[in-house]
Amino acid sequence: MAVVLESGGRDSSQAGAQGYAADWARAVRRLGFVPLSAGETQRLLHLHTVALAEALRAEPFSSRPGAEVGRALAEAHLTEPDVLDWSVRALGDRFLARVLPDLVGSDEAVARVTALQGALAAGFAGALRDRTFAQQERIARSAWQARDEVEQALRDSEARFRAVFSGAAIGIGIGLVDGQIIDVNQAFADMLGYSIEELRQINVASLFHPDDAAGMWELYQELVEGKHESARLEKRYYRKDGSAVWTDLAVSLVRHDDGRPRFTVAVVEDITERYELQQRLRFEALHDPLTGLPNRTLFFETLGVIFDNADAGRRIGVCFLDLDGFKAVNDSLGHDLGDQLLVVIADRLADCVAGFGHLVARMGGDEFVILVDEGESLDDVVGVADAALAAVSAPIRIGDHQLVVSASIGIVECPADTIDPSELMKAADTTLYWAKAEGRGRWAVWDRERSAQEIARSALAAGLPAALERGEFVLHYQPIVSLRDGSMVAVEALVRWQHPELGLLSPVRFIGLAEETGLIVQLGAWVLRQACRDAGAWRREFPDTRLVVSVNLAARQVDDPIIVDTVADTLADSGLPADLLQLELTESAVMGTAGEPLRSLHRLAGLGVRLAIDDFGTGYSNLAYLRRLPIRCLKLAGPFVEGLREGTPEMTTCQRDEQIVDALVRLARALELSVTAEAVETGVQAERLRALRCDTGQGYWFGVPGPVGEITARLRRQHT
């Protein structure tokens, strides 16, 4: 933050600096003797005014210029006590308004002014002290030349020191190295609420605050041992009335001529207001303004301290809590009521663990966390979670509204040396969503193995887009065979992921992820194009064979408004006749389809494409609705075919499944649909399906899914 007061857009600041310096010069000359002319005094103080203004704007900020100005005042012999008092007060009361009006109202500027005030006073006192001690040393060295003169100079010096000592606006105290107070000035006595005579009878140790007394004696000892000549720190003293005062303390050691410690000089400034402001600002920075609970920053600070100091075997637990349906409260009743609800919940959570010393923090929104330190087992943390759920679920009345809310909690409890803070909270967040997924209003406990599985699943989901771009997906085809003569009449295209690290992955591992991420539309389009290209190649090599290729169509693809154009373009590019393409849809994707998706199905059928319902019988089918759909094939779900297996334990089960398959086949016939049985694994199943007039079968009995080359080889064998 560079400062230019001399020209350009700084004319007003320059005028303010000149005016402030003029006031300062008049005050100095009014308060005591000044060894300079009026013009010289004003020019000198104008330079100091500019230096202080530059310090206030400087980045980074330093209070050192304030100390330099204080020292310069003393060196210019402007040493009247009231001069320092006026200078310090004016810097705080009027400096910003007169010199830097653009900074008025800035908390940062006020804090910098406060720092400069203290530095100016300290620099003034330090210069006086240094000058006094220097004068004393010069007098001592010249004693052999003019003892009378030295004694007179010493008396003069003492008189000047006493004038400064007595009239200084900041506290000054002199004591022996054992802590016994020799003398203090009035400012020091007023600061602590004692008289000067009372303080002369006191050892400074009795004024120390118990939290820092030991450190102070260590400081004195280091001074006495010569490790330091001076020290500066912030510390507390007790006032006479028992209250505490925060001070900025500068301590220096004065030695005998032979180097032995003689006494200490302390310059003390009352910074209680500044310290309390800093504490208040820190509290506000570390606590949630709505609920008053510790915030996310303080929680992680506390967690870091615990982990840094954790002994081997120390256990730690967290309960990560999120209100269920809080957004609905905000949306329906308003954010003001939602805020009131959060305050009540925060108070309840704090109360329910108050007797145990657990930290309760608000992480943001409607999320809270309870830190359980030094718990003995998982049961301790679960007990805290149960208490929290009970506290939250009790009815809450806010104004005219009676509210009942619930929460979900993710629990993590483990030895501190097996996890770090970020992993701990990541695990808690994951576990919280497990609890929500399991029904809300409950807790769930972190399971490392389950977490690892979900991480692996997430890694697969994240890798899907790149895998599609790199061409890592391949198609395998499973034969669909006529149950009448055993010939292969169709194949179903089944996608596989040739993962570079995990090998060949079945659709079970990634199709669900593709649907969740929305990539199923792109992946499905790729499967459709590749299957039609392969089927087109078979068509060209075996023109007399009408081999149908069946491709699964996901629900999102059915809803895609450009699905018809995608299919039409794919058929055109591959040269495959439309009637050799069959699109399989699940019952859930077809039943209830309305609007544009239903029109898309009819347009696809209009292209000549076959439509089939996959896994028929496992969902709910509205038969009247099914009758109006352009479906040409039903694929019976595997569980019905499973019951037709040879050696079924209970014949009644076999008979019942056979009756179901028979009914489904009859239904298909009534709707003029063909029927394909899935999961045919034995010859007995194939024979029973043939007897039930099922058209085609698919399963391991007829062939396992294989690469495109295996289907090509099978077609060649059929033509030999």
Side-chain angles (χ1 to χ4, degrees), residues 36-98:
L36 301 172
S37 68
E40 291 173 336
T41 303
Q42 183 170 338
R43 284 193 293 274
L44 174 65
L45 296 181
H46 177 256
L47 293 176
H48 296 334
T49 300
V50 173
L52 292 173
E54 291 177 343
L56 281 173
R57 288 190 183 274
E59 294 293 346
F61 171 74
S62 170
S63 64
R64 187 168 184 175
E68 293 172 353
V69 170
R71 179 172 291 276
L73 291 176
E75 291 174 351
H77 301 288
L78 304 180
T79 55
E80 288 293 334
D82 289 342
V83 171
L84 175 61
D85 180 61
W86 192 96
S87 301
V88 171
R89 284 190 296 101
L91 179 57
D93 294 341
R94 65 192 77 174
F95 189 87
L96 289 180
R98 290 290 302 277

Side-chain angles (χ1 to χ4, degrees), residues 317-332:
V318 295
C319 297
F320 196 15
L321 180 148
D322 181 84
L323 298 182
D324 298 327
F326 179 72
K327 184 177 183 299
V329 174
N330 271 343
D331 292 345
S332 60

Side-chain angles (χ1 to χ4, degrees), residues 457-473 495-497 509-529 552-558 560:
R457 189 170 182 270
S458 297
L460 282 180
L464 278 171
L468 187 59
E469 291 180 5
R470 291 194 295 263
E472 293 178 2
F473 292 98
V495 65
R496 302 288 190 265
W497 184 357
R509 296 284 299 276
F510 61 86
I511 287 297
L513 298 176
E515 290 176 341
E516 291 175 11
T517 60
L519 192 69
I520 191 66
V521 174
Q522 293 173 258
L523 180 58
W526 177 86
V527 171
L528 177 66
R529 289 193 300 271
N552 291 284
L553 207 61
R556 284 200 181 190
Q557 290 178 274
V558 177
D560 189 352

Side-chain angles (χ1 to χ4, degrees), residues 108-264:
E108 176 62 20
V110 172
R112 292 185 176 190
V113 166
T114 301
L116 286 177
Q117 286 178 297
L120 190 149
F124 185 89
L128 289 179
R129 181 198 61 197
D130 294 345
R131 189 174 67 179
T132 298
F133 292 160
Q135 289 173 343
Q136 290 175 340
E137 184 176 354
R138 286 197 302 272
I139 292 171
R141 288 178 178 176
S142 61
W144 63 274
Q145 295 178 341
R147 179 166 301 177
D148 292 340
E149 187 178 328
V150 168
E151 289 177 354
Q152 182 61 45
L154 183 59
R155 286 192 296 271
D156 292 343
S157 177
E158 176 63 23
R160 288 193 296 271
F161 173 77
R162 180 55 56 185
V164 174
F165 180 80
S166 301
I170 58 176
I172 303 175
I174 302 173
L176 299 175
V177 292
D178 63 0
Q180 182 62 44
I181 296 175
I182 300 174
D183 200 4
V184 297
N185 67 354
Q186 190 61 49
F188 193 104
D190 292 343
M191 189 185 306
L192 298 182
Y194 291 91
S195 69
I196 292 176
E197 288 303 321
E198 286 175 327
L199 285 173
R200 287 172 177 165
Q201 307 303 316
I202 292 176
N203 190 295
V204 73
S206 64
L207 303 175
F208 288 174
H209 195 280
D211 290 347
D212 55 16
M216 281 302 301
W217 281 118
E218 291 174 2
L219 172 63
Y220 272 114
Q221 187 61 36
E222 290 178 354
L223 284 171
V224 171
E225 293 174 356
K227 295 181 179 178
H228 308 289
E229 288 299 318
S230 63
R232 185 170 181 175
L233 70 159
E234 292 184 358
K235 73 171 306 296
R236 284 169 290 181
Y237 284 107
Y238 277 124
R239 291 189 176 98
K240 186 177 181 178
D241 61 7
S243 61
V245 55
W246 275 94
T247 67
D248 184 344
L249 171 65
V251 184
S252 299
L253 180 66
V254 178
R255 299 179 181 274
H256 289 284
D257 291 342
D258 60 3
R260 291 179 295 110
R262 186 175 182 184
F263 51 81
T264 58

Side-chain angles (χ1 to χ4, degrees), residues 374-488:
E374 297 283 13
E376 296 182 0
S377 66
L378 175 61
D379 291 341
D380 295 334
V381 188
V382 169
V384 172
D386 285 333
L389 289 179
V392 170
S393 62
I396 299 172
R397 175 164 289 280
I398 300 177
D400 297 331
H401 300 280
Q402 180 84 9
L403 303 177
V404 177
V405 297
S406 65
S408 301
I409 298 179
I411 297 175
V412 181
E413 193 279 337
C414 59
D417 57 2
T418 63
I419 199 169
D420 64 36
S422 61
E423 291 174 343
L424 177 71
M425 293 312 299
K426 182 178 179 181
D429 186 59
T430 298
T431 311
L432 168 63
Y433 286 96
W434 292 351
K436 284 190 176 292
E438 290 166 6
R440 302 186 173 190
R442 64 187 65 204
W443 48 259
V445 178
W446 183 51
D447 181 290
R448 191 180 293 272
E449 183 176 344
R450 177 180 176 182
S451 177
Q453 292 173 351
E454 293 202 354
I455 290 173
R457 189 170 182 270
S458 297
L460 282 180
L464 278 171
L468 187 59
E469 291 180 5
R470 291 194 295 263
E472 293 178 2
F473 292 98
V474 297
L475 291 185
H476 283 194
Y477 296 92
Q478 186 170 35
I480 299 175
V481 174
S482 169
L483 292 175
R484 180 172 52 82
D485 59 12
S487 63
M488 182 174 64

Side-chain angles (χ1 to χ4, degrees), residues 424-652:
L424 177 71
M425 293 312 299
K426 182 178 179 181
D429 186 59
T430 298
T431 311
L432 168 63
Y433 286 96
W434 292 351
K436 284 190 176 292
E438 290 166 6
R440 302 186 173 190
R442 64 187 65 204
W443 48 259
V445 178
W446 183 51
D447 181 290
R448 191 180 293 272
E449 183 176 344
R450 177 180 176 182
S451 177
Q453 292 173 351
E454 293 202 354
I455 290 173
R457 189 170 182 270
S458 297
L460 282 180
L464 278 171
L468 187 59
E469 291 180 5
R470 291 194 295 263
E472 293 178 2
F473 292 98
V474 297
L475 291 185
H476 283 194
Y477 296 92
Q478 186 170 35
I480 299 175
V481 174
S482 169
L483 292 175
R484 180 172 52 82
D485 59 12
S487 63
M488 182 174 64
V489 296
V491 292
E492 181 178 356
L494 302 170
V495 65
R496 302 288 190 265
W497 184 357
Q498 189 63 57
H499 196 282
E501 298 176 1
L502 303 177
L504 193 65
L505 302 181
S506 72
V508 175
R509 296 284 299 276
F510 61 86
I511 287 297
L513 298 176
E515 290 176 341
E516 291 175 11
T517 60
L519 192 69
I520 191 66
V521 174
Q522 293 173 258
L523 180 58
W526 177 86
V527 171
L528 177 66
R529 289 193 300 271
Q530 186 61 45
C532 288
R533 279 196 292 267
D534 291 340
W538 292 325
R539 169 79 172 167
R540 288 188 292 274
E541 184 173 352
F542 310 103
D544 297 333
T545 300
R546 296 188 57 79
L547 184 69
V548 174
V549 62
S550 192
V551 178
N552 291 284
L553 207 61
R556 284 200 181 190
Q557 290 178 274
V558 177
D559 294 337
D560 189 352
I562 64 169
I563 182 61
V564 178
D565 293 336
T566 300
V567 172
D569 292 344
T570 300
L571 291 172
D573 292 342
S574 64
L576 184 70
D579 63 342
L580 296 186
L581 173 63
Q582 178 171 278
L583 298 177
E584 298 186 16
L585 306 96
T586 62
E587 280 184 274
S588 59
V590 174
M591 294 305 162
T593 299
E596 187 61 33
L598 180 59
R599 286 191 289 273
S600 295
L601 293 181
H602 282 283
R603 290 175 62 198
L604 288 171
L607 292 176
V609 173
R610 300 167 178 261
L611 298 179
I613 295 181
D614 193 17
D615 289 331
F616 184 77
T618 58
Y620 170 75
S621 296
N622 183 323
L623 298 182
Y625 185 78
L626 179 64
R627 182 169 53 86
R628 296 195 296 269
L629 291 172
I631 303 299
R632 296 178 62 177
C633 176
L634 297 181
K635 297 189 72 173
L636 301 184
F640 298 123
V641 178
E642 173 70 21
L644 305 182
R645 186 187 293 269
E646 182 180 16
T648 301
E650 299 181 9
M651 286 304 297
T652 55

